[in-house]
Amino acid sequence: MINKVCATLSDAVSDIQDGSTLLIGGFGLAGMPVELIDALLEQGASNLTLVNNNAGNGDTGVAALLKHGRVRKVICSFPRQVDSYVFDGLYRAGKIELELVPQGTLAERMRAAGAGIGGFFTPTAYGTQLAQGKETREIDGKHYVFEKALHADYALIKAYRGDRWGNLVYRKSARNFTPVMASAATCTIAQVQELVPLGALDPEAIVTPSIFVHRIVECHASQEAA
């Protein structure tokens, strides 16, 4: 009987090692798996590389990992915004690395990883500093930059509902980058607001099928990371 359910958030992240690369879902706080991140913070893994749309908001979620010195490098599209003061301070102090990736390229690099594609050519960033050191090519009179697929050791994601096999349904904008992240990691860990019995999810509504999910844990908003 396939059962990917973890009893606690702590169990779900227990084997994440120092130096791991993690894809973390969310567009700002929408869809960010804050409770899984809190459990990882408690677990203690460090020297991490995080891939997210931005570099954290306030001092929760991704920003909390940065604030506690657990992150070596951030790969994102929007490192600076009004409430990204934790990242801003670390970067100005030379305490964290940044790889800046245009948003569409970021999503496509993860999609490529999930699809088994080594990389792709895109016109985005051609002729800019973001293209320095990368292969370029002219195709039908247009210039392109080669971008590699972006794999990770783990993906931490959040969904609205899921079943014990790991099939996931999202809610509105919380879906954002999550489906491509789920397919691009060696181990995908999903927190869901509600675990439902097998067969309860409308097959037509399942966005991430169970084949891409390795662990699932039910987490209500008020649940502690324990």
Side-chain angles (χ1 to χ4, degrees):
M1 180 181 74
I2 298 174
N3 186 359
K4 301 175 183 176
V5 176
C6 293
T8 68
L9 293 159
S10 299
D11 289 344
V13 301
S14 61
D15 65 345
I16 296 178
Q17 299 178 355
D18 293 352
S20 295
T21 296
L22 280 70
L23 311 177
I24 297 184
F27 190 88
L29 292 176
M32 180 176 288
V34 174
E35 288 76 12
L36 274 176
I37 295 172
D38 287 345
L40 179 61
L41 192 61
E42 183 71 22
Q43 186 255 29
S46 62
N47 196 33
L48 303 171
T49 295
L50 302 187
V51 182
N52 185 247
N53 183 57
N54 59 31
N57 303 84
D59 54 8
T60 62
V62 167
L65 288 172
L66 271 62
K67 183 178 180 179
H68 287 82
R70 305 293 174 75
V71 181
R72 178 184 66 83
K73 179 179 180 179
V74 172
I75 302 174
C76 72
S77 296
F78 292 94
R80 294 193 68 199
Q81 50 197 36
V82 173
D83 59 353
S84 61
Y85 52 83
V86 174
F87 171 81
D88 200 68
L90 291 171
Y91 186 76
R92 290 178 184 277
K95 296 181 178 179
I96 195 166
E97 296 178 40
L98 170 66
E99 181 179 341
L100 190 63
V101 183
Q103 191 174 74
T105 301
L106 182 68
E108 185 65 7
R109 287 182 64 188
M110 292 184 285
R111 193 201 69 80
I117 298 169
F120 57 94
F121 284 96
T122 174
T124 303
Y126 178 83
T128 73
Q129 291 184 359
L130 296 182
Q132 289 181 356
K134 298 178 180 176
E135 180 183 353
T136 60
R137 185 174 297 183
E138 182 176 342
I139 303 174
D140 293 335
K142 193 170 184 177
H143 298 283
Y144 295 83
V145 180
F146 182 73
E147 296 284 356
K148 292 182 179 178
L150 183 54
H151 299 269
D153 302 302
Y154 294 89
L156 304 185
I157 62 173
K158 180 180 181 179
Y160 182 42
R161 291 192 176 104
D163 60 31
R164 65 174 169 82
W165 282 1
N167 294 304
L168 302 178
V169 171
Y170 304 100
R171 187 174 186 275
K172 299 183 178 180
S173 61
R175 176 171 165 178
N176 54 71
F177 294 94
T178 304
V180 292
M181 288 184 170
S183 66
T186 301
C187 178
T188 293
I189 304 169
Q191 70 171 68
V192 295
Q193 185 172 328
E194 182 183 9
L195 268 174
V196 299
L198 288 179
L201 298 176
D202 178 356
E204 296 293 336
I206 294 172
V207 176
T208 296
S210 61
I211 192 171
F212 294 121
V213 178
H214 304 84
R215 302 171 194 166
I216 187 168
V217 57
E218 188 175 35
C219 175
H220 304 291
S222 60
Q223 186 173 338
E224 298 291 338

